[in-house]
């Protein structure tokens, strides 16, 4: 029995076992374009693929499909030879910020800086102090789940889970490095130095370290890194420097991101799947990780998607819902900034109350009612023929917002400060850099004196590649960090209940 996989680049034929799911076969084949936020557990319905051949569907029916028919890859099992078609990988809007000319440069020859994000990967190629090129892609580990928790479960539940996650990440990074080198007339063997930053879980996957201890309290990592490793890519002689992490869910993306913050008290907030917060007060840095979930990145949202062509990235009201689409054309879904705008707009129109209740058509304001529909599952606000914003989506955004704000409340309480003491809030990450400040304020998701800091992890990785002084500084930053645990923290728990309201 075999599965034929058609992609933009090639066609593969993979041997499969009877009743093996299409998702499982694609995972073994490195299903680069497979979008599966729930990790293939049949919960999100987003791994739809055109399938032709004999399959058994989720209800146990054997289907003999003579034309390509969309089916969820995780719920369709092989009942004979099949073919699937993978869609081209969308070009994510990866923040590719580059630092200005370094005042001190220690890199000799060719080097690369890597930002390993849960959702996206960014690679920067340097020749000494000169930036040659940069490349961003969606992290192909997304086929194992949208967040690190899903991927940890995959590593523990699948016999080959950890190896599959490791090999997927290493293989994609090696491919990106090779593509950049070739584009600038160099070879992989010419690389002399590589620096990679990321959250602690992603660095465990990169290095192949077990993640069992990160699945249970006290979430202790096997390593906090802060050293140079080798042997990850056979034949590649470059030394790989991994800056120090802080704790199980506070990685070197935080320590690298703090390199440029001088003023105190200052708040750093990297808004992503795992919301990372740091409060700088004098010589002490109070840190916590707030499990915000992937809602702000469009995952686990009914019509959610990453910030890629086709995503609605801004929503407003002008006699009806209006929106802008990345790249123009028909919308395919909502990314984080569009989700935030949609919720804030409905709140201003009194179509959502402070508890997060999305009113059905018969109870909503008259001007909004034509755009609302009640289904057997919930209420939906319809933006287009294919894109809507649901009551369940409202709840997920509420919880993500509450987790981040309550995490900051806990840090301030620990430091004995109030919100009025904050001089600057540095909003890092792709979502934090593009959110509409007014929309954020309208749903209670606001930080004082906020500035968009961009991809601080990527910027930090580049500085650490170029400068030995920056490496000494990042070690000092890690040593000054004090972790504030949120689990069982009464301040966090009380603040979370209050912050859920809109």
């Amino acid at each position: 029995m075999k599965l034929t996989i058609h992609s933009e680049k090639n066609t593969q034929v993979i041997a499969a076992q009877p009743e093996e799911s299409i998702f499982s076969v694609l995972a073994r084949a490195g299903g680069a374009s497979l979008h599966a936020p729930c990790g293939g557990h049949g919960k999100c319905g987003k791994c739809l693929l055109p399938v032709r051949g004999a399959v058994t569907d989720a209800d146990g029916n054997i289907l003999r499909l003579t034309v390509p028919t969309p089916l969820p890859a995780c719920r369709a099992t092989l009942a004979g030879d099949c073919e699937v078609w993978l869609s081209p990988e969308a070009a994510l809007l990866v923040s590719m910020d580059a630092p200005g000319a370094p005042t001190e440069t220690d890199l000799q020859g060719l080097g690369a800086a890597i930002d390993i994000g849960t959702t996206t990967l960014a690679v920067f190629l340097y020749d000494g102090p000169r930036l040659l090129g940069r490349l961003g892609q969606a992290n192909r580990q997304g086929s194992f789940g949208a967040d690190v928790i899903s991927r940890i479960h995959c590593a523990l539940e699948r016999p080959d889970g950890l190896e599959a996650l490791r090999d997927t990440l290493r293989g994609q990074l090696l491919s990106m490095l090779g593509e950049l080198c070739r584009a600038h007339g160099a070879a992989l063997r010419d690389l002399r130095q590589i620096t990679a930053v990321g959250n602690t879980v992603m660095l465990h996957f990169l290095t192949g370290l077990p993640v069992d201890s990160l699945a249970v309290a006290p979430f202790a990592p096997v390593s906090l890194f802060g050293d140079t490793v080798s042997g990850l890519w056979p034949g590649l002689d470059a030394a790989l420097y991994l800056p120090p992490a802080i704790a199980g869910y506070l990685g070197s993306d935080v320590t690298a991101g703090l390199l440029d913050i001088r003023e105190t008290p200052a708040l750093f907030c990297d808004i992503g799947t795992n919301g990372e917060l740091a409060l700088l007060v004098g010589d002490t840095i109070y840190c916590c990780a707030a499990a915000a979930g992937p809602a702000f990145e469009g995952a686990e949202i009914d019509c959610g998607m990453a910030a890629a062509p086709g995503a609605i990235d801004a929503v407003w009201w002008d006699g009806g819902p209006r929106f802008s689409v990345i790249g123009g054309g028909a919308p395919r879904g909502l990314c984080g900034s569009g989700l935030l705008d949609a919720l804030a707009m409905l709140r201003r129109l009194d179509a959502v109350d402070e508890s997060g209740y999305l009113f059905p058509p018969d109870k909503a304001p008259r001007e909004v009612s034509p755009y609302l529909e009640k289904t057997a599952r919930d209420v939906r606000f319809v933006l287009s023929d294919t894109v809507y914003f649901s009551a369940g989506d409202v709840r997920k955004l509420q919880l993500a917002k509450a987790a981040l704000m309550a995490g900051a409340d806990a840090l301030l309480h620990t430091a004995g400060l109030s919100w009025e003491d904050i001089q600057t809030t540095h909003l890092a990450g792709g979502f934090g850099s593009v959110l509409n400040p007014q929309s954020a304020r309208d749903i209670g998701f606001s930080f004082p004196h906020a500035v968009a800091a961009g991809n601080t992890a990527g910027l930090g990785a580049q500085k650490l590649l170029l400068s030995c002084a920056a490496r000494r500084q990042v070690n000092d930053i890690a040593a000054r960090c004090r972790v504030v645990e949120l689990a069982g923290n009464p301040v966090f728990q009380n603040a979370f209940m209050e912050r859920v309201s809109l």
Side-chain angles (χ1 to χ4, degrees), residues 218-484:
F219 311 109
V222 174
S223 174
L224 288 175
F225 308 101
D227 50 16
T228 299
V229 299
S230 59
L232 267 62
W233 293 286
L236 191 62
D237 296 329
L240 173 63
Y241 170 63
L242 302 174
I246 303 165
Y249 288 90
L250 290 160
S252 59
D253 49 352
V254 177
T255 53
L258 296 175
L259 281 169
D260 277 342
I261 300 179
R262 299 288 182 267
E263 77 281 9
T264 70
L267 182 65
F268 170 88
C269 183
D270 191 342
I271 305 174
T273 303
N274 182 47
E276 295 151 328
L277 298 155
L279 176 64
L280 294 84
V281 184
D283 291 331
T284 303
I285 304 173
Y286 300 92
C287 305
C288 70
F296 287 130
E297 295 181 338
E300 297 186 6
I301 297 292
D302 285 0
C303 295
M305 62 180 290
I312 293 175
D313 64 341
V315 179
W316 64 95
W317 186 267
D318 183 9
R322 303 289 183 264
F323 51 80
S324 63
V325 178
I326 296 174
R332 297 193 297 118
L334 282 153
C335 67
S337 58
L339 289 163
L340 189 72
D341 281 353
L343 177 55
M345 180 188 73
L346 291 171
R347 183 76 184 97
R348 289 192 295 268
L349 292 166
D350 293 322
V352 172
D353 68 13
E354 66 178 11
S355 72
Y357 177 65
L358 177 59
F359 290 105
D362 59 334
K363 295 182 180 179
R366 182 179 301 175
E367 60 181 335
V368 187
S369 292
Y371 304 97
L372 293 166
E373 65 178 27
K374 186 170 177 57
T375 69
R377 186 167 66 94
D378 61 8
V379 177
R380 297 174 176 179
F381 178 73
V382 179
L383 284 159
S384 76
D385 292 341
T386 57
V387 180
Y388 62 85
F389 181 61
S390 73
D393 298 337
V394 173
R395 188 62 177 170
K396 287 171 183 173
L397 289 175
Q398 277 184 277
L399 296 176
K401 181 265 295 190
L404 288 165
M405 296 300 295
D409 287 329
L411 294 183
L412 288 165
H413 179 270
T414 302
L417 299 178
S418 68
W419 283 98
E420 289 72 24
D421 295 317
I422 301 297
Q423 290 191 28
T424 311
T425 302
H426 300 262
L427 296 180
F431 174 71
S433 297
V434 300
L435 62 82
N436 183 321
Q438 186 59 54
S439 293
R441 285 191 292 270
D442 286 345
I443 66 166
F445 186 45
S446 57
F447 295 99
H449 312 296
V451 296
N455 180 13
T456 56
L459 286 166
Q462 293 169 80
K463 291 170 185 172
L464 291 165
L465 172 72
L466 298 171
S467 169
C468 291
R471 294 190 183 189
R472 292 190 293 271
Q473 184 185 350
V474 82
N475 286 330
D476 175 66
I477 287 171
R480 290 160 52 202
C481 287
R482 175 183 168 188
V483 177
V484 177

Side-chain angles (χ1 to χ4, degrees), residues 188-211:
L188 280 169
R189 63 177 177 274
D190 297 328
L191 284 169
R192 292 291 173 262
Q193 179 70 54
I194 301 173
T195 295
V197 307
N199 68 55
T200 313
V201 177
M202 296 305 297
L203 294 183
H204 276 61
F205 288 145
L206 176 67
T207 53
L209 292 175
V211 293

Side-chain angles (χ1 to χ4, degrees), residues 96-275:
M96 302 296 288
D97 303 321
T103 56
E104 178 187 348
T105 305
D106 300 295
L107 177 66
Q108 300 296 319
L110 207 65
I114 300 174
D115 171 19
I116 304 174
T118 308
T119 305
T120 58
L121 305 178
V123 178
F124 305 81
L125 183 68
Y126 277 84
D127 184 2
R130 185 165 63 97
L131 176 64
L132 296 181
R134 42 196 157 181
L135 179 63
Q137 291 181 0
N139 187 334
R140 293 177 187 169
Q141 283 189 338
S143 61
F144 300 95
D147 54 62
V148 292
I149 301 300
S150 300
R151 296 178 201 177
I152 287 174
H153 288 164
C154 175
L156 300 182
E157 293 169 2
R158 276 181 48 173
D160 64 339
L162 180 60
E163 291 77 10
L165 284 154
R166 178 198 66 197
D167 294 347
T168 297
L169 180 58
R170 287 187 187 177
Q172 185 177 5
L173 289 174
L174 186 63
S175 174
M176 293 172 73
L177 288 166
E179 183 175 340
L180 274 175
C181 286
R182 287 191 298 274
H184 295 279
L188 280 169
R189 63 177 177 274
D190 297 328
L191 284 169
R192 292 291 173 262
Q193 179 70 54
I194 301 173
T195 295
V197 307
N199 68 55
T200 313
V201 177
M202 296 305 297
L203 294 183
H204 276 61
F205 288 145
L206 176 67
T207 53
L209 292 175
V211 293
D212 310 54
S213 60
L214 291 168
V216 294
F219 311 109
V222 174
S223 174
L224 288 175
F225 308 101
D227 50 16
T228 299
V229 299
S230 59
L232 267 62
W233 293 286
L236 191 62
D237 296 329
L240 173 63
Y241 170 63
L242 302 174
I246 303 165
Y249 288 90
L250 290 160
S252 59
D253 49 352
V254 177
T255 53
L258 296 175
L259 281 169
D260 277 342
I261 300 179
R262 299 288 182 267
E263 77 281 9
T264 70
L267 182 65
F268 170 88
C269 183
D270 191 342
I271 305 174
T273 303
N274 182 47

